[in-house]
Amino acid sequence: MEKNEDMVLVIDISSNSVKVGLVSESLNLVHFNSQNINVINEDIDGFAKSFDMEDIWNKLINGVNQVHTKIKNQNTKIIGISTCAQRIASIFLDRKGNVVYGGPNIDIRGIDSAYLIDDEFSEKDLFEITAHSPSLLFCLARLLWFREEEEETYAKISKVLMLDDWLVYKLTGIYVSDFSSAAESQLLDIKRREWSSEIIQTFDFDPDFFPDIVESGTIVSELKPELIKKFNFNQSYIPIVKTGGDTQATLLGMGAIERGDIGISLGTTAPLHLVVDKPIIDPSSNYWTSCHSIKGKWLLEGHAGNTGASYNWFKQCFLSNSGDNPDFLMDTYLKMSQPGALTTYAYLGPENMNIKNQTSIKRGVFAFQPPMMISEELPTIKDFARSVLENIAFGIYENYSALNSYTDLDTRTFCAGGMAKSEEFSKLLANVLDSEISIPFVKDSAFIGVAMNILKALDLYSDYNAMIKDLITYEKIKSNSSISEKYKSIYLEWKNLKNKIDKL
């Protein structure tokens, strides 16, 4: 980074944390702060969950102050601020802008009101409008839940926002959404790119609930003067740029922006997205269609499930007392073991996206050679570790293959996120996919994607392709043809056994 290079401030509320970063004009992540989110269980069954919104805001303020302290004594300007946030999370405000409900992406209280949607729309008809299902996950069902279950709270609702919209409101006082955020509400007409008048009229929602929608990368306002003072910024004007969903920001930051590109986001979960130049509605009503951060681009999504969560669970349960860094151990175990892990197979959740079967309770399973088979070489911890990572890779592979069936182009594959920091896992994934993977130098790609939106909004770059070409560097992970060939048969063995386990 050049001395005194100007910075952009990025705020990201992910599935687990409030993250604040300073990114240079050359797209280097210079300073970073992360604090865990508190999610409140509202019922004994764990269906209804909510954010502690005051806690989120306080952590955001603390995070901004922490990273700003790093540059306070330098002659460095913050030239813009933008935010992104976990998709599906939604916030309802009263007429004074106070939060009456804030719910994370795992709040499924809508399970109790989904029947109201089913009474008005068939699954196919609603999917044809919104390209999202099942209804229990989304903002539409949550609104109906409050109308049915908490009438007094519903009567207070004046604005319906997605989480990133709320961040922009807190920073500016402006109500505005963007297409990447609105598309995850099950209230957007995905083809027309507008709030669905049919849904709004059918359920008699107040149309004023829903804010105007702008393109990602639009300057919507400026940072409130009182926040400039609170953050001790020595500037009177800082523009606020709308970004939107954190997954779309991650795709932008890894460079997956052209038709036929597939981006894999390796976080707590692993959504995969195929970039398309028109909305494709999956005839099976399974794979979602959303709006990209790039105007004129849509995304077809497959989802491998709780990949990072499975990885972290295994580390915590089996490696936390080892005395060594668990991530280092996982990499070491991959180096020490062979593909197939002595026919040790894990079934911990990662699989092909199957939204019609999300409510059934599945058991986690390890299948392996038991000790009584003394003639066989028995698996050890290294093989169980590999089996977890192969389960994750197989789940990604199933979605990757499905998305590839929707394009006749030779796809370019990009990957970023926490697990992309592991070179060994990246090699494993490339071999399972039998594809070269491009991994950006900065794996926390949401920060980079948000920063790119700021640079473009400020006309520092004319287009995203120029930015990617000039500023993003990649490591290319190539597949090994002989290992990829082995994995074809290993995957079939894993899948055949999975089909039997799923019937138990």
Side-chain angles (χ1 to χ4, degrees):
M1 186 189 76
E2 297 294 330
K3 187 176 182 181
N4 298 330
E5 187 176 3
D6 289 339
M7 304 279 184
V8 298
L9 180 69
V10 176
I11 299 165
D12 174 13
I13 300 184
S14 67
S15 296
N16 299 313
S17 57
V18 177
K19 298 184 282 190
V20 181
L22 283 172
V23 180
S24 71
E25 286 183 280
S26 54
L27 295 185
N28 291 309
L29 180 57
V30 179
H31 298 294
F32 171 84
N33 178 272
S34 179
Q35 300 162 83
N36 290 335
I37 284 176
N38 294 326
V39 174
I40 302 164
N41 286 316
E42 295 185 5
D43 60 17
I44 193 169
D45 296 320
F47 291 152
K49 298 180 186 292
S50 61
F51 287 127
D52 183 338
M53 299 302 294
E54 183 178 359
D55 180 65
I56 286 178
W57 182 244
N58 288 335
K59 285 175 177 174
L60 185 153
I61 292 172
N62 180 62
V64 172
N65 285 329
Q66 288 290 328
V67 298
H68 184 239
T69 299
K70 305 288 188 181
I71 63 166
K72 193 162 58 175
N73 297 323
Q74 302 174 17
N75 184 25
T76 300
K77 285 196 312 180
I78 293 177
I79 58 174
I81 299 174
S82 189
T83 63
C84 67
Q86 56 175 261
R87 303 177 299 158
I88 302 175
S90 49
I91 314 295
F92 303 159
L93 305 182
D94 64 17
R95 294 188 182 279
K96 294 182 179 180
N98 298 315
V99 174
V100 297
Y101 160 76
N105 52 13
I106 54 174
D107 178 21
I108 56 170
R109 70 185 69 218
I111 195 171
D112 293 329
S113 56
Y115 75 95
L116 297 169
I117 301 172
D118 296 338
D119 288 345
E120 300 292 341
F121 291 93
S122 69
E123 178 188 61
K124 181 175 178 59
D125 288 345
L126 187 60
F127 199 87
E128 192 69 25
I129 299 170
T130 68
H132 281 68
S133 181
S135 294
L136 62 92
L137 295 173
F138 299 104
C139 182
L140 171 57
R142 300 180 193 188
L143 265 176
L144 292 171
W145 185 91
F146 277 99
R147 189 160 75 184
E148 290 295 304
E149 303 293 336
E150 294 189 10
E151 293 182 28
E152 290 186 10
T153 300
Y154 183 83
K156 296 177 183 178
I157 297 173
S158 177
K159 281 295 176 207
V160 173
L161 305 177
M162 304 308 284
L163 181 53
D164 185 68
D165 306 341
W166 175 78
L167 288 174
V168 170
Y169 166 70
K170 292 291 286 184
L171 296 173
T172 67
I174 302 294
Y175 295 123
V176 66
S177 190
D178 68 278
F179 293 105
S180 74
S181 296
E184 312 293 355
S185 65
Q186 210 182 32
L187 288 155
L188 189 82
D189 187 318
I190 198 68
K191 297 174 186 174
R192 297 175 183 238
R193 295 211 318 159
E194 61 185 30
W195 297 116
S196 171
S197 58
E198 184 176 357
I199 293 173
I200 291 170
Q201 291 169 11
T202 297
F203 295 109
D204 196 26
F205 293 138
D206 183 349
D208 289 337
F209 277 176
F210 308 104
D212 291 339
I213 307 175
V214 301
E215 299 288 350
S216 296
T218 299
I219 297 175
V220 294
S221 188
E222 62 183 282
L223 185 63
K224 291 178 180 178
E226 59 265 34
L227 290 178
I228 287 178
K229 183 177 180 180
K230 183 182 283 288
F231 296 145
N232 294 313
F233 293 152
N234 58 359
Q235 300 158 242
S236 60
Y237 170 78
I238 302 178
I240 304 296
V241 176
K242 191 71 171 76
T243 289
D246 59 354
T247 300
Q248 286 89 337
T250 297
L251 293 168
L252 177 56
M254 69 173 78
I257 67 170
E258 295 294 340
R259 185 168 75 96
D261 289 348
I262 292 181
I264 307 170
S265 305
L266 291 173
T268 303
T269 61
L272 293 81
H273 290 89
L274 171 68
V275 181
V276 293
D277 57 8
K278 61 182 179 180
I280 296 175
I281 308 300
D282 175 26
S284 67
S285 302
N286 185 55
Y287 302 105
W288 296 349
T289 302
S290 301
C291 296
H292 203 336
S293 295
I294 310 296
K295 185 177 180 179
K297 293 291 193 296
W298 282 259
L299 299 165
L300 187 64
E301 175 176 348
H303 203 293
N306 292 326
T307 51
S310 298
Y311 174 75
N312 289 332
W313 168 82
F314 183 83
K315 289 190 299 179
Q316 182 178 1
C317 288
F318 299 99
L319 305 180
S320 60
N321 295 323
S322 67
D324 292 319
N325 180 288
D327 294 308
F328 171 78
L329 281 177
M330 292 295 281
D331 275 2
T332 301
Y333 291 150
L334 274 181
K335 293 177 183 177
M336 294 170 59
S337 55
Q338 296 298 315
L342 299 179
T343 64
T344 302
Y345 298 130
Y347 302 91
L348 302 180
E351 61 181 353
N352 188 32
M353 188 172 184
N354 184 9
I355 60 174
K356 297 180 182 179
N357 190 27
Q358 292 300 302
T359 55
S360 65
I361 299 175
K362 296 182 179 180
R363 297 293 183 182
V365 173
F366 283 103
F368 57 96
Q369 300 282 7
M372 67 183 65
M373 300 180 67
I374 57 175
S375 61
E376 300 285 345
E377 183 180 358
L378 298 178
T380 63
I381 186 64
K382 70 179 187 300
D383 301 297
F384 285 97
R386 174 177 278 274
S387 74
V388 172
L389 296 172
E390 289 181 340
N391 179 190
I392 292 169
F394 291 154
I396 292 170
Y397 167 76
E398 292 187 330
N399 289 275
Y400 184 81
S401 298
L403 294 183
N404 264 293
S405 70
Y406 282 90
T407 181
D408 56 1
L409 300 176
D410 291 330
T411 57
R412 298 188 304 170
T413 305
F414 299 83
C415 190
M419 290 188 69
K421 296 175 183 178
S422 165
E423 183 178 357
E424 293 303 316
F425 177 73
S426 298
K427 291 177 182 177
L428 165 63
L429 184 59
N431 286 326
V432 170
L433 300 183
D434 193 13
S435 173
E436 179 180 280
I437 299 175
S438 296
I439 300 177
F441 176 75
V442 179
K443 310 301 187 294
D444 298 302
S445 289
F447 280 113
I448 304 305
V450 174
M452 290 169 70
N453 270 333
I454 298 174
L455 297 185
K456 186 169 184 301
L458 296 177
D459 292 325
L460 295 178
Y461 274 85
S462 60
D463 63 75
Y464 293 108
N465 277 315
M467 234 182 297
I468 292 168
K469 180 180 178 182
D470 291 350
L471 301 179
I472 297 182
T473 57
Y474 294 97
E475 178 183 9
K476 304 283 189 177
I477 306 293
K478 296 182 182 293
S479 61
N480 181 307
S481 58
S482 63
I483 297 177
S484 294
E485 194 63 32
K486 288 180 182 178
Y487 267 123
K488 290 178 182 178
S489 58
I490 293 169
Y491 164 73
L492 289 176
E493 291 181 17
W494 176 88
K495 184 66 172 179
N496 288 336
L497 185 54
K498 181 180 187 301
N499 290 336
K500 296 176 183 178
I501 291 172
D502 286 346
K503 294 177 183 178
L504 296 178

